[in-house]
Amino acid sequence: MNSRGNRRRIWTMGTKLAAACAAASLAWWAWSPITAGASSHREAPLITELPKVDGTDFYMFRSYESGRDGFVTIIANWLPLQDAYGGPNYFFLDPDALYEIHIDNTGDAKEDITFQFRFQNTLRGLTVPVGGQNVPVPLINIGPISAGNLQNLNMTETYTLDVVRGNRRTGQRQRVNAPGPNGFLKPTDNIGQKSIPGYAAFATAQIHTVNWPGCDAGQGRVFVGQRKESFYVNLGEIFDLINLDPLGPPDAKRNILDDKNITSFILEVPIACLRRDANSPVIGGWMTSSLRQARVLRPQPTFDRPTVEGGAWTQVSRLGMPLVNEVVIGLPDKDKFNASKPENDAQFLTYVTNPTLPALIQTLFPSVQAPNTFPRNDLVAVFLTGVQGVNQITANPTPGEMLRLNTSIPATPASQQNVLGAALCFVNGTLTLNNPGCDPAGFPNGRRPIDDVVDIELRVAMGYLLPSSPSGQQPFTDQTRIPISSFSEQFPYLATPIPGSPQSATPQ
């Protein structure tokens, strides 16, 4: 058979495979390796192959922008470790993926509301005359662009946003009205100051005011675009067998992620649109991304169709509480965890009741003693059920890992926020609201950008919430802090992304 015949045969086989997978998706799911994923910065094996759908951080807090105290802000970050200079294609999202944010307001560890995002890349096909011919250019822009002038932009990225009530796949779906026929415009990544002068204004123009379907409690806002990486951590030294002083100064080390960008999905939603009713103020939230079960590479790819996708949506990334898959879930189950739903988290209970991190810390630092109380019901409350009297959704919730927020607790103004959040509202496991530094609006009651979740979770893991623990009251830290000025006091809260050029430039 000639080469053209071979290509036709391969293409036909690929198309049939995708169709077959769609018809037999349940059976295919049982053995397909693509069911694995990740819920933070590259911490499960398969997600290193799928960076566009790697969910990295999830935030949910009472809005602390002046005049917006009736709202909850939700931030979901995807596509980690972006170098600002990462051209020429930069960091477009996957148009074949489904990006979702879920809310549980009934305590059954199942989604009651889902915000669902789909993306579309549109090629304008810009050309330049060369030798009498108009030749397509290899770049995404051929000159400066601004909010009011996109004529030099070669590719645009737009997205649609649906609100689904009930089951994420079978519930009632309603489209959020967008300003354009293709949905909302996602601002181009921060290429550099010559390509996009005044990037902050360029991105701000794509903050959209929206009406949330099924809720008449007021308008909200939505923004999807590149931001400066919001997570701060001493990443390298932590994973080098905690190559630092865990009881040293909390700000002695630099934030290793300070030169990275991230892609953020940011929603502002009226509290009444999220809670079950006025007497049920606590909500749970988490983020996921999904791909079709089968992905076949086309032997002759085009810009619009480099692959053929088929089969049911299959979850490949999940994140609620920070750092769970990094330092709680064991290596054999990392991919399994991220393909699962909170309602099925009982299968991972041993990792919470008998955590390995404290034992590893004690091994590395013999002068530090890990808690010897088992099962660790304090960790079950923090990660799986919510803390009674603080952020437990119902009296008898179904255990499920998610971030929980008590929306009846007022927001703390930015200038008064404590990086250790609600953790300081406990003394030897007892809720003590008059404890110095107590900030009940912070993590683990939701999560704000400034909350030092690494230090908090280290301390909680070592027994901070237990009535008595050998090292429970010691100030464990990764030695990295950033100032509150690193974030804005207004929506979308996260800072302007670092420009790709010039090298010495700061965000503008």
Side-chain angles (χ1 to χ4, degrees):
M1 184 179 291
N2 59 32
S3 60
R4 180 177 298 175
N6 276 329
R7 288 195 297 268
R8 184 181 300 114
R9 183 184 180 192
I10 292 171
W11 168 242
T12 302
M13 290 175 61
T15 304
K16 289 182 177 179
L17 176 60
C21 287
S25 60
L26 185 60
W28 198 86
W29 181 90
W31 57 266
S32 167
I34 206 169
T35 59
S39 63
S40 195
H41 297 71
R42 293 172 53 88
E43 84 291 347
L46 185 63
I47 206 64
T48 60
E49 304 175 30
L50 304 167
K52 287 181 179 289
V53 289
D54 184 0
T56 69
D57 281 287
F58 184 69
Y59 306 83
M60 185 167 65
F61 53 91
R62 279 280 298 264
S63 301
Y64 50 87
E65 177 181 346
S66 178
R68 309 300 288 184
D69 58 345
F71 294 82
V72 167
T73 295
I74 302 171
I75 302 174
N77 288 346
W78 269 279
L79 218 171
L81 305 177
Q82 298 178 14
D83 291 316
Y85 50 80
N89 292 297
Y90 296 94
F91 302 98
F92 290 91
L93 294 166
D94 188 347
D96 294 315
L98 188 62
Y99 299 86
E100 296 175 297
I101 296 170
H102 310 281
I103 299 296
D104 169 25
N105 58 28
T106 56
D108 60 359
K110 299 178 182 179
E111 66 273 8
D112 296 297
I113 305 170
T114 295
F115 300 94
Q116 204 171 81
F117 299 80
R118 294 291 306 274
F119 288 82
Q120 178 180 341
N121 299 335
T122 302
L123 179 67
R124 294 186 61 202
L126 297 182
T127 63
V128 294
V130 181
Q133 299 186 54
N134 291 322
V135 182
V137 299
L139 305 176
I140 63 173
N141 67 306
I142 60 173
I145 58 178
S146 63
N149 184 3
L150 301 179
Q151 64 179 4
N152 290 324
L153 186 60
N154 198 20
M155 188 175 82
T156 59
E157 192 174 15
T158 55
Y159 61 95
T160 58
L161 172 56
D162 292 337
V163 177
V164 183
R165 300 186 183 278
N167 182 278
R168 67 180 80 174
R169 299 291 173 262
T170 61
Q172 180 190 21
R173 183 185 314 275
Q174 295 176 285
R175 178 65 49 89
V176 178
N177 289 333
N182 295 323
F184 301 94
L185 183 66
K186 173 180 172 288
T188 305
D189 293 340
N190 198 352
I191 300 169
Q193 294 180 358
K194 185 175 182 180
S195 290
I196 313 178
Y199 188 87
F202 173 74
T204 298
Q206 302 310 327
I207 295 175
H208 303 282
T209 299
V210 297
N211 294 306
W212 296 111
C215 179
D216 58 2
Q219 293 181 315
R221 289 178 285 186
V222 60
F223 171 84
V224 177
Q226 192 179 53
R227 297 280 89 189
K228 189 177 186 295
E229 171 64 76
S230 52
F231 189 48
Y232 57 101
V233 63
N234 191 1
L235 200 62
E237 292 182 347
I238 283 182
F239 290 125
D240 184 24
L241 299 178
I242 312 182
N243 189 12
L244 51 84
D245 181 359
L247 296 175
D251 56 356
K253 303 284 186 175
R254 74 183 183 94
N255 173 27
I256 199 67
L257 301 181
D258 194 52
D259 63 348
K260 305 298 182 185
N261 290 328
I262 197 73
T263 299
S264 301
F265 297 52
I266 308 179
L267 306 176
E268 183 192 63
V269 187
I271 292 173
C273 296
L274 297 174
R275 66 189 182 189
R276 182 168 74 254
D277 54 54
N279 298 317
S280 306
V282 180
I283 59 175
W286 70 101
M287 58 189 283
T288 65
S289 48
S290 300
L291 296 171
R292 295 294 186 182
Q293 287 183 321
R295 173 169 288 184
V296 178
L297 301 178
R298 294 187 64 178
Q300 295 184 352
T302 64
F303 175 85
D304 294 322
R305 297 194 66 195
T307 63
V308 178
E309 313 285 328
W313 288 114
T314 304
Q315 185 176 299
V316 296
S317 181
R318 167 189 169 187
L319 179 61
M321 293 285 284
L323 302 172
V324 169
N325 212 6
E326 286 185 330
V327 299
V328 177
I329 304 299
L331 188 58
D333 288 323
K334 285 181 178 293
D335 290 338
K336 183 178 181 180
F337 175 82
N338 290 296
S340 67
K341 297 179 180 179
E343 63 190 276
N344 298 320
D345 280 348
Q347 63 186 315
F348 305 112
L349 185 61
T350 298
Y351 289 122
V352 180
T353 59
N354 299 70
T356 59
L357 178 62
L360 291 171
I361 292 176
Q362 178 175 300
T363 299
L364 295 169
F365 302 93
S367 63
V368 172
Q369 290 183 269
N372 54 14
T373 301
F374 301 101
R376 290 289 302 276
N377 291 326
D378 59 317
L379 299 185
V380 172
V382 170
F383 290 104
L384 298 179
T385 65
V387 178
Q388 188 174 10
V390 180
N391 63 350
Q392 198 175 81
I393 299 177
T394 61
N396 296 294
T398 300
E401 188 278 305
M402 65 182 76
L403 191 66
R404 291 173 171 85
L405 172 68
N406 187 333
T407 63
S408 69
I409 296 177
T412 302
S415 62
Q416 300 173 29
Q417 292 176 11
N418 191 312
V419 297
L420 296 180
L424 292 182
C425 301
F426 291 83
V427 177
N428 294 321
T430 301
L431 182 63
T432 309
L433 294 178
N434 61 356
N435 192 45
C438 170
D439 182 0
F443 183 80
N445 179 37
R447 180 186 176 190
R448 304 165 303 195
I450 195 59
D451 291 336
D452 193 339
V453 297
V454 177
D455 283 13
I456 295 171
E457 291 196 354
L458 279 173
R459 297 180 189 195
V460 169
M462 294 305 293
Y464 178 76
L465 295 179
L466 290 172
S468 62
S469 180
S471 301
Q473 300 306 307
Q474 291 186 291
F476 291 96
T477 177
D478 71 332
Q479 299 194 282
T480 300
R481 291 274 170 86
I482 59 175
I484 188 66
S485 59
S486 300
F487 304 104
S488 172
E489 297 183 22
Q490 297 179 329
F491 188 93
Y493 295 99
L494 304 191
T496 301
I498 300 168
S501 165
Q503 290 186 23
S504 59
T506 56
Q508 292 187 354

